[in-house]
Amino acid sequence: GTGYVDYVLWGDDGLPLAVVEAKRSMTSPLKGKHQAELYADCLEKMHGQRPIIFYTNGFETYLWDDQFYPERKVQGFYDKDELQLLIERRTTRTDLREFTVNKAISGRAYQLQAIAHVAENTVTTNQQSQLRGRARQSLLVMATGSGKTRTAAAIVDMLTKCNWAKRVLFLADRNALVSQAKNAFNEHLPSLSAIDLTKEREDNGTRLVFSTYPTIMNRIDGMLAADLRFYGIGHFDLIIIDEAHRSVYQKYKAIFDYFDAMLVGLTATPKTEVDHNTYGLFGIEDDNPTFAYELNTAVEQGYLVPPKAVSVPLKF
């Protein structure tokens, strides 16, 4: 029949980037899913480009890139450049599982295994042998000293070279860890521009942003001129969370709700001691991270030495 789209977001080339089905605030936005899909079908026939699908009731918004991922709940809309990038990725993304890891960044067997697990967790192939997205969250449990930052740098290298990620946010809970991570990434990925948000001003072209939780929280909460936030929900493609087991989630979960990004969590806490809120955030079963390389295994393989206890007499 004849239907009228509520909103179409157009690209500079006159092609549809997104279709928005707006429902009344009292109605579930999910009721607009089928209707939005029909509009996307028609727009694709008319213009030869399938738009990204949004449906919303003003309070809840869903994004559905039906050629790659299932629908997911988001906090708002992507801007024009971000939508354009999503559409371009349909043809430019390559299979992460076939990527050859740069061993100069991360070359130990268990590190390569961790990267392979992330690739397999992130991508799958449908019956027509087309690439499709799988999970958008991965959690790596790796003992302190086993090279978590190097492994993270190699994962960023893989995701940027395979056109899955353009901008990356690295979060740590102390300024010293932020500086340390930035220096390590600068050494391993010198071609990607990086800033430390706790000390420097951000500009739109930066590829790697390093920050503490409160700093990025202020950027999300704070409005710039004309009621615009500096970071839209689609600004980052990937968020790396250092020491992901900490219960900072109670307070800072809003960061992960706000950004519509893939998540990679890093923690040195043994998998049985990671709390279930952390497993919940990464959408995985308790005690079953994407990859685990714990202290006892690292000691057995000769990469780390067991800790020694030293008793210190006190004067009280």
Side-chain angles (χ1 to χ4, degrees), residues 36-182:
E37 188 180 6
L38 296 177
Y39 290 144
D41 293 343
C42 295
L43 283 162
E44 185 179 12
K45 270 193 197 127
M46 291 161 69
H47 298 278
Q49 175 169 292
R50 187 167 186 80
I52 304 288
I53 297 168
F54 287 94
Y55 34 98
T56 179
N57 62 2
F59 294 105
E60 290 184 345
T61 302
Y62 287 84
L63 179 156
W64 188 23
D65 181 1
D66 62 350
Q67 305 216 321
F68 201 75
Y69 277 120
E71 62 184 10
R72 57 185 185 267
K73 202 170 173 183
V74 290
Q75 295 276 322
F77 298 94
Y78 276 47
D79 71 23
K80 188 160 57 174
D81 294 342
E82 290 158 5
L83 286 169
Q84 192 71 57
L85 194 56
L86 279 189
I87 285 177
E88 283 167 14
R89 280 199 185 125
R90 290 171 178 171
T91 49
T92 59
R93 257 192 198 108
T94 57
D95 194 337
L96 301 174
R97 296 165 299 185
E98 292 168 6
F99 180 75
T100 308
V101 176
N102 180 350
K103 291 188 179 172
I105 301 176
S106 183
R108 290 179 179 177
Y110 64 86
Q111 294 169 344
L112 297 172
Q113 214 179 337
I115 297 159
H117 277 245
V118 170
E120 282 161 25
N121 188 43
T122 308
V123 67
T124 184
T125 313
N126 68 6
Q127 289 165 332
Q128 290 78 40
S129 303
Q130 296 163 313
L131 275 192
R132 289 292 179 264
R134 199 167 164 269
R136 287 172 58 82
Q137 300 100 343
S138 301
L139 177 63
L140 304 180
V141 172
M142 294 174 76
T144 302
S146 61
K148 290 198 298 293
T149 310
R150 273 178 176 270
T151 307
I155 290 169
V156 168
D157 188 48
M158 170 175 76
L159 289 169
T160 50
K161 286 183 177 159
C162 293
N163 283 327
W164 282 66
K166 181 180 175 187
R167 290 186 286 230
V168 179
L169 173 63
F170 187 104
L171 289 174
D173 58 359
R174 295 200 308 281
N175 289 17
L177 294 175
V178 170
S179 307
Q180 204 178 317
K182 181 179 175 246

